[in-house]
Amino acid sequence: MKMLWTICCVCMICFFSLAAYVQINDPDGPLWMAIYGLPAVLTLLQVSSFKFKSHWMISRLMWLHTAVCFLGALYISYGLLITKDTSNYGNLRWYEKEEGREMGGLVFVVLWLMLCQFHDRSVSGACLSAFCVPVVVSPVCLWLYTYYDEAYREKLPDHCKQAL
């Protein structure tokens, strides 16, 4: 299970680093670079050395960033529900709006940092794998879908089309 956890950590370090990189041409890019870059650095510290894993400052920073991202996701989801677009038979198509994609990114940050926090606790390896693998695979699948679906990409704002 340690090998699976290490592979998942490396995948998420790459994902969060790439997510931070593509924010370079976003109007509020520095904010999102910090939101995605911090989990990449914290995951790197956690997987690199046992000394950093148990340090109280790393743990507190993880919990603080998790709480801020959770509150941000709640705020954005509330805004999406208030201004919901019901032009498509009442379906809320949150993934077609920039705020919805931002909320999705915050949710992935929250889920991943919570997994990192609970990894060293007394959670069985099978239980951790049941949560870890979908959290790692989901953003990659969504990113591939966005990249290969031309109809979806045409709905994106200009700064999202030029990211990669």
Side-chain angles (χ1 to χ4, degrees):
M1 289 298 151
K2 184 170 173 50
M3 183 66 149
L4 176 65
W5 175 250
T6 304
I7 291 170
C8 288
C9 284
V10 169
C11 288
M12 290 308 282
I13 290 168
C14 293
F15 171 74
F16 285 129
S17 299
L18 187 60
Y21 172 74
V22 299
Q23 301 299 323
I24 198 149
N25 56 357
D26 196 332
D28 52 355
L31 171 70
W32 291 100
M33 286 178 175
I35 287 172
Y36 292 131
L38 188 57
V41 170
L42 290 172
T43 304
L44 182 65
L45 288 175
Q46 187 181 40
V47 84
S48 65
S49 173
F50 181 77
K51 194 172 15 174
F52 289 114
K53 240 188 272 191
S54 59
H55 196 274
W56 65 270
M57 187 182 269
I58 301 295
S59 177
R60 298 297 184 268
L61 188 56
M62 269 191 190
W63 279 118
L64 178 65
H65 194 63
T66 302
V68 168
C69 289
F70 180 75
L71 292 174
L74 283 178
Y75 177 75
I76 291 173
S77 63
Y78 178 72
L80 283 172
L81 287 174
I82 293 223
T83 62
K84 77 177 179 180
D85 178 18
T86 57
S87 61
N88 191 355
Y89 303 107
N91 292 332
L92 177 62
R93 304 185 79 158
W94 61 269
Y95 53 87
E96 290 184 357
K97 296 184 176 190
E98 184 169 5
E99 294 85 5
R101 292 186 298 275
E102 290 172 349
M103 182 194 67
L106 290 173
V107 168
F108 282 124
V109 169
V110 168
L111 290 174
W112 179 251
L113 288 180
M114 288 184 75
L115 278 172
C116 287
Q117 283 288 17
F118 291 118
H119 175 257
D120 290 333
R121 310 268 196 274
S122 60
V123 178
S124 72
C127 181
L128 184 66
S129 300
F131 291 113
C132 183
V133 172
V135 169
V136 171
V137 171
S138 296
V140 174
C141 290
L142 288 171
W143 207 325
L144 287 173
Y145 170 75
T146 302
Y147 187 73
Y148 286 111
D149 186 10
E150 290 186 29
Y152 179 74
R153 269 190 294 151
E154 288 183 16
K155 296 177 185 178
L156 294 174
D158 288 336
H159 69 270
C160 292
K161 291 178 186 176
Q162 302 163 354
L164 278 179

